Amino acid sequence: MSADDMSHAERIKAAIDFKEPDRVPMFDSMSWSVNMAGKNLGLIGQKVKNVSFPKWIHNPDIFVESQIKALDRFDHDFVHSRMSSHILAEPMGCREEEPYWDVPATINTAINRVEDWKTLKFPNMDKDGKIPTQLTAIRMLDKELHEKRGDDVFITGFVRGAFTLAEIVLGVEKFMFSMVDKPDETRELIDFCNDVSIECIKAQIDAGADHIYTPDPSASAALISAKFYHDFALPAAQKQSAAIRKYKDKYAHHYHICGNTRDRWDDLAEIGASYVSLDYMISLKEAKETIGKKVAIAGNMTPAGTLLLGTPEMVEEEGKQMIRDAAVGGGYIYWAGCDLPIDCPTENVDKFFEVPKVYGKYPIEI
């Protein structure tokens, strides 16, 4: 089977189905693709850019053009549509800060007590926050890639996991105490956030998204124990995943937790996600052996140490090891441990996406 035998979607679906595609499928460059906007590519490492991050995310035409340029340059199998780390938190009542050269972040909470969740606004997906801009970008990507080109590359929608969204609107400290002091009200808050997220997910799929990425960083072992994950975060992730699969299909959900997830791998395998991505400190070899027959896995090159600060040679060696550890037998999607830092040198990003094309062809022989 040659490297040209499969389309983007066929490659992704084969991997998720634990079949060996023509080559290892690759997730996209996410936030790094801001460097493909305007003349930014020639300004990496410089403080002044041709297109700032806020300009990029508020102008769908600029945003979409950059995604298509990234696709044409790297030939990854996904393109993304994330306008903010917290696309739903802002219209629910949080405020966002938009740095000149970084992903927007929330700077306040929406409620002060967990029981105040009933006062939270249920966003209008056509009017509130950056949601309409994101939906416009998805529609444009759908038209340019799916309709005009006939390319079945996966357009990726984005919302946070409901557990993380609940933590954002209440605040991390209060949320952590509320799980102990007011568990019923905490679950009610999480359920409300899940209802909001599912409505946004449906709007994104209706706009043309093939696939939804739901990072859940507040569910990390750095913040909660495996028991609290099982009791609070897992049911929310399962409900969200089931809604995605019911509304779209079995290939449409990517779930991610930052940090060390070793103590909750059994739960991750039970979410129902199409695949789960793992952070850089995780052994892909161990993950493949432990849960990699139950759920497809993705990851997990070191974002800072290798991609941002390393050399192309370091990128190549780590990428080869990832493929060696996780790709045999399918069930693997190549990516970083999390979003690519936006200041990664171009030569490192080029090498990152070159590795699967050279070493990720099936059968794996490295």
Side-chain angles (χ1 to χ4, degrees), residues 239-314:
K239 178 181 177 180
Q240 192 182 58
S241 187
I244 293 169
R245 287 181 284 110
K246 182 178 180 181
Y247 202 74
K248 182 59 177 171
D249 56 45
K250 63 180 284 191
Y251 305 106
H253 186 209
H254 170 188
Y255 182 81
H256 174 81
I257 301 179
C258 300
N260 193 336
T261 52
R262 179 64 182 83
D263 66 353
R264 56 207 66 190
W265 279 356
D266 288 343
D267 280 346
L268 292 187
E270 298 301 322
I271 287 170
S274 312
Y275 62 98
V276 296
S277 56
L278 305 168
D279 212 340
Y280 73 93
M281 70 286 295
I282 295 296
S283 164
L284 279 185
K285 186 174 188 295
E286 184 182 4
K288 181 77 170 184
E289 294 169 350
T290 305
I291 61 168
K293 298 295 187 289
K294 299 178 182 178
V295 62
I297 59 176
N300 68 344
M301 189 171 290
T302 310
T306 303
L307 281 165
L308 178 62
L309 302 175
T311 64
E313 291 74 23
M314 293 170 62

Side-chain angles (χ1 to χ4, degrees), residues 162-228:
F163 182 86
T164 294
L165 180 57
E167 179 267 308
I168 293 165
V169 298
L170 178 58
V172 59
E173 186 173 346
K174 291 178 180 177
F175 186 76
M176 296 301 149
F177 279 114
S178 76
M179 285 189 287
V180 177
D181 298 334
K182 297 180 179 181
D184 291 340
E185 292 87 344
T186 303
R187 289 187 176 92
E188 290 172 352
L189 168 62
I190 295 170
D191 284 343
F192 178 80
C193 289
N194 226 343
D195 290 343
V196 172
S197 77
I198 290 168
E199 192 69 20
C200 189
I201 285 164
K202 290 179 178 179
Q204 293 178 41
I205 292 172
D206 288 345
D210 303 280
H211 167 269
I212 306 293
Y213 172 46
T214 65
D216 211 2
S218 298
S220 167
L223 288 175
I224 60 170
S225 68
K227 183 181 186 308
F228 274 77

Side-chain angles (χ1 to χ4, degrees), residues 1-21:
M1 182 178 290
S2 77
D4 296 322
D5 282 346
M6 284 188 167
S7 67
H8 293 293
E10 289 171 339
R11 187 174 297 128
I12 294 164
K13 291 176 180 180
I16 291 171
D17 285 337
F18 296 99
K19 298 175 182 177
E20 292 191 342

